[in-house]
Amino acid sequence: MRADRVFAYGAAAGLLGDLLLGDPRRGHPVAAFGRAAGAVERVLWRDHRGWGALHTAVCVGGAVSLAALADRSVRTSRIASVALTAAATWSVVGGTSLGREARAVGGALAAGDVEVARERLPHLCGRDPQALDADGIARAVVESVAENTSDAVVGALVWGAAAGVPGLVAFRAVNTLDAMVGHRSAKYRRYGWASARLDDVAGWPGARLTAVLAAVAGSDPRGAVRAWRADAVKHPSPNAGPVEASFAGALGVRLGGTLSYAGRVEHRPVLNGGGRAVEVGDIERAVRLSRRVGLLALGVSVAGRLLVSGLRAKGRTS
């Protein structure tokens, strides 16, 4: 079976597995990678960019090498190749768990239980929950749903379409490392620099595709494009900016502003300033938009892979 069809069938099966089952309950490969990366960090950590770059190379290179070896070992079997692609896709995407956690926070807020919502919020993002009221929690959830639609679904599918199972694994490894060491704390400002920059590069295509698809799938396409063009560059993250701005415009809400993260207060620019303040009901709207974007991303990724493969085949025969 051609590689493009292997990806098409496997990615569709893997995304279906995520929709039906969510993340694996035990033995999650991403969790195993995180433990291994933590062990490498304990050996290599120095307050130096070079040692951080070595940490990134060892962890990402090791994960990709294992994925490539597994991919090569099943290449002679169509069923095994599709099954491996499906398993890898299921392992690295997390749209269902993202929606489940967002809805749990939204449910607590709808019931008026802000304390429970604060307890659940760290499952989604690194904000300081005690510094947020109910409206602030709702805004944080919508922003997290937007950003993680790119990080947990679309970006992985894009790299899977580009490089198969090794691409899926590489993207998740880079994204996980960024979450572990890529923040600007005193300990990781230098050591996590390489992981953060690599994540910016790896996340660039998925973030732009997510922003486009949010505009297509949202209720206000023009508003999404307008907010993206006007406000994305104001965001400190080159990838979160387009995604959050497009979601804000698509949903008709206002995102950004002051937040507290890891003990630091940040004053981020407002995205879609003409929108209204986020309400609890917008959490469900954001989750549904995220789901539509993920399904569209699967279609675009599969179509792109098939198109490129067809053009290459045509070029060889001409």
Side-chain angles (χ1 to χ4, degrees):
M1 184 183 295
R2 288 177 3 197
D4 53 354
R5 294 180 181 176
V6 167
F7 173 74
Y9 298 147
L15 192 62
L16 179 62
D18 177 66
L19 292 173
L20 295 177
L21 304 172
D23 287 335
R25 295 292 185 180
R26 295 182 179 180
H28 200 305
V30 176
F33 172 81
R35 290 191 294 271
V40 173
E41 179 189 340
R42 288 191 290 273
V43 174
L44 295 181
W45 188 90
R46 307 287 190 281
D47 189 18
H48 190 276
R49 284 185 177 183
W51 285 95
L54 178 60
H55 175 235
T56 302
V58 168
C59 293
V60 176
V64 172
S65 296
L66 289 174
L69 181 63
D71 188 44
R72 182 178 294 275
S73 69
V74 300
R75 194 164 294 175
T76 57
S77 170
R78 292 178 295 178
I79 294 176
S81 295
V82 171
L84 178 64
T85 303
T89 303
W90 178 39
S91 296
V92 303
V93 301
T96 297
S97 293
L98 171 65
R100 183 185 298 127
E101 292 298 336
R103 284 171 169 146
V105 177
L109 290 176
D113 199 335
V114 178
E115 286 305 315
V116 170
R118 287 180 176 138
E119 291 175 4
R120 300 288 306 193
L121 187 63
H123 292 262
L124 278 171
C125 60
R127 308 282 176 88
D128 294 331
Q130 298 305 319
L132 298 173
D133 59 10
D135 292 341
I137 293 172
R139 175 168 63 86
V141 172
V142 172
E143 290 173 353
S144 181
V145 168
E147 183 175 2
N148 282 294
T149 299
S150 176
D151 288 344
V153 183
V154 181
L157 292 173
V158 167
W159 282 102
V165 170
L168 289 164
V169 171
F171 180 79
R172 177 54 59 221
V174 169
N175 191 251
T176 302
L177 276 185
D178 178 62
M180 294 177 66
V181 304
H183 37 88
R184 297 179 180 177
S185 65
K187 181 177 181 179
Y188 293 121
R189 183 172 285 107
R190 295 185 181 86
Y191 188 81
W193 178 86
S195 291
R197 298 292 75 76
L198 184 58
D199 183 68
D200 287 342
V201 173
W204 196 96
R208 273 71 194 168
L209 179 58
T210 303
V212 169
L213 296 180
V216 171
S219 58
D220 186 359
R222 290 184 178 179
V225 173
R226 183 169 56 248
W228 177 9
R229 294 180 62 183
D231 299 329
V233 295
K234 302 174 184 177
H235 198 285
S237 169
N239 294 329
V243 172
E244 291 184 18
S246 186
F247 261 72
L251 296 170
V253 299
R254 186 172 62 250
L255 299 179
T258 301
L259 60 85
S260 178
Y261 179 84
R264 306 186 314 274
V265 175
E266 296 184 12
H267 301 284
R268 292 186 177 177
V270 173
L271 307 176
N272 193 38
R276 58 174 174 78
V278 175
E279 301 171 354
V280 174
D282 293 316
I283 293 176
E284 179 63 27
R285 294 178 63 225
V287 170
R288 290 180 179 177
L289 177 58
S290 174
R291 178 70 59 86
R292 293 194 296 272
V293 168
L295 292 174
L296 286 173
L298 174 64
V300 171
S301 299
V302 168
R305 180 69 183 257
L306 292 171
L307 177 61
V308 170
S309 180
L311 291 174
R312 286 177 176 172
K314 184 177 180 180
R316 287 194 296 267
T317 57
S318 61

